[in-house]
Amino acid sequence: MSKSAPGARVAPALPALPSALRAIEAERAGLDALLDALQNGLGVPFQQAVSLIAAAAGRVIVSGMGKSGHVGRKIAATFSSTGTPAYFVHPAEASHGDLGAIQADDVILALSWSGETSELSDLVAYARRFRVGLIAITANRDSALGREADVCLTLPKAREACPNGLAPTTSTTMQLALGDALAVALLEGRAFSSHDFRVFHPGGKLGAQLKQVRSVMHTGERLPLVSRGMRMSDALVRMSEKGFGCVVVVEDDGAIAGIVTDGDLRRHMQPDLMALTVDVVMTPHPTTVEPSLLVAEALEIVETRKIGALIVAENGRPVGLVHVLDLLRIGAV
């Protein structure tokens, strides 16, 4: 009778949801333990680690083996995207030439749950020989890695979500959370803004959301402007010509007086609508935004207030218009 190979796929004998709930509960317990540790002892070396990285003139060299290595790659990517230059070096490759990528003004962040990962030994020795700052993330302060580190971030013991207690699950979640905490502390420490963030994220949906409204707004002759006192029959012609489903009503001096939208037309639907003036139909004091507003923030305003267009204004005068379709067109939604 043949036997299945280890790890062969078989139909689950139990419902999947209870397993999922147990796994998430175990990982949540690990994060709770990490939060408690940061409030009771781990906070001091955490601050030391942030200070060491912030003072370094070079990069953060992140390294780890196995699952810790996968987490390390993500931490390095998060650092780099939030203004802390970082680079992942595989510990095995480090022993075969990649140590040359590490300079004296760098800081090494090494991840190992046990702290006894043999592949990290050459990296640790290199750091000590050339006095490169070394930060350890490990669960064992008295391990080879923990003893050699300038700063040891000791993770609290926690039960793995794996029922056998073997597969790195809770432990890697804790490593990842601590790496994110370092990145956030560093970006907040240097006042890294959303505008800075856009420099490193120009593509995709995130890049679209980090653009400023001025880059997508309609200006000049495209603006659907009408003057106070204009009859609705003429205003509707202007609304149809511009194609935004609204007209912006302005004072004689160009200041914004109000806006007439499709919704305003429905609310004032009556036989003499065309004979009314825009002053009667318009919504006064409409929502306006500045040209420097991020598209992501403009999108939130549009969705929260359930409006189709935003007037872009400077000194109370319209300088542009952004329609929800513009946000869809650039992929911000």
Side-chain angles (χ1 to χ4, degrees):
M1 184 175 182
S2 62
K3 294 183 178 180
S4 299
R9 293 182 179 180
V10 294
L14 297 173
L17 183 57
S19 296
L21 294 175
R22 286 193 296 271
I24 293 174
E25 178 60 36
E27 298 200 7
R28 183 172 67 178
L31 291 177
D32 286 341
L34 178 59
L35 184 63
D36 183 68
L38 282 166
Q39 295 170 331
N40 295 281
L42 183 56
V44 173
F46 182 85
Q47 180 60 61
Q48 293 172 343
V50 170
S51 298
L52 183 59
I53 294 172
R59 303 162 301 168
V60 179
I61 305 298
V62 186
S63 190
M65 194 70 188
K67 303 301 185 294
S68 293
H70 293 303
V71 173
R73 289 182 185 276
K74 192 274 178 186
I75 292 174
T78 300
F79 277 171
S80 293
S81 70
T82 53
T84 300
Y87 182 74
F88 180 83
V89 171
H90 193 286
E93 296 296 337
S95 301
H96 295 275
D98 282 2
L99 286 173
I102 305 173
Q103 303 299 310
D105 55 1
D106 292 335
V107 173
I108 297 173
L109 177 64
L111 289 78
S112 171
W113 183 256
S114 68
E116 301 292 349
T117 303
S118 59
E119 289 86 353
L120 286 171
S121 59
D122 288 339
L123 192 68
V124 171
Y126 183 90
R128 300 303 77 186
R129 178 183 177 186
F130 294 101
R131 298 183 180 179
V132 179
L134 176 61
I135 300 169
I137 295 181
T138 178
N140 187 357
R141 177 66 183 87
D142 296 323
S143 63
L145 176 61
R147 291 193 305 270
E148 293 294 334
D150 296 301
V151 179
C152 183
L153 300 177
T154 308
L155 296 169
K157 303 293 184 182
R159 178 177 62 86
E160 299 285 13
C162 166
N164 299 316
L166 299 173
T169 44
T170 305
S171 56
T172 49
T173 297
M174 294 166 67
Q175 288 177 327
L176 186 60
L178 190 58
D180 285 344
L182 287 169
V184 171
L186 287 161
L187 78 87
E188 289 183 348
R190 65 169 58 89
F192 190 83
S193 70
S194 55
H195 297 287
D196 297 321
F197 197 76
R198 182 176 179 266
V199 174
F200 303 116
H201 300 79
K205 178 178 178 180
L206 185 56
Q209 291 181 335
L210 291 172
K211 290 182 178 179
Q212 292 184 341
V213 165
R214 70 172 79 251
S215 68
V216 297
M217 69 184 187
H218 299 273
T219 61
E221 292 298 319
R222 287 289 294 140
L223 291 181
L225 303 180
V226 299
S227 301
R228 266 189 181 274
M230 179 179 283
R231 292 167 61 94
M232 281 302 302
S233 56
D234 296 324
L236 282 176
V237 173
R238 183 68 53 82
M239 185 183 294
S240 299
E241 287 176 349
K242 302 302 181 179
F244 295 115
C246 66
V247 288
V248 180
V249 184
V250 295
E251 306 280 4
D252 291 340
D253 63 358
I256 299 169
I259 188 171
V260 178
T261 66
D262 291 334
D264 293 313
L265 295 180
R266 289 191 295 272
R267 283 187 289 273
H268 290 83
M269 189 61 66
Q270 56 194 62
D272 63 343
L273 174 62
M274 295 297 102
L276 298 177
T277 65
V278 292
D279 305 63
V280 176
V281 180
M282 73 179 187
T283 296
H285 312 298
T287 299
T288 64
V289 299
E290 296 181 351
S292 60
L293 188 75
L294 294 180
V295 166
E297 296 172 289
L299 178 61
E300 181 181 2
I301 293 172
V302 167
E303 292 179 335
T304 301
R305 304 192 183 186
K306 301 186 185 306
I307 54 180
L310 279 173
I311 303 171
V312 185
E314 287 184 328
N315 300 318
R317 290 168 170 73
V319 295
L321 187 82
V322 176
H323 195 273
V324 65
L325 292 179
D326 299 317
L327 305 179
L328 289 170
R329 197 172 295 116
I330 67 169
V333 181

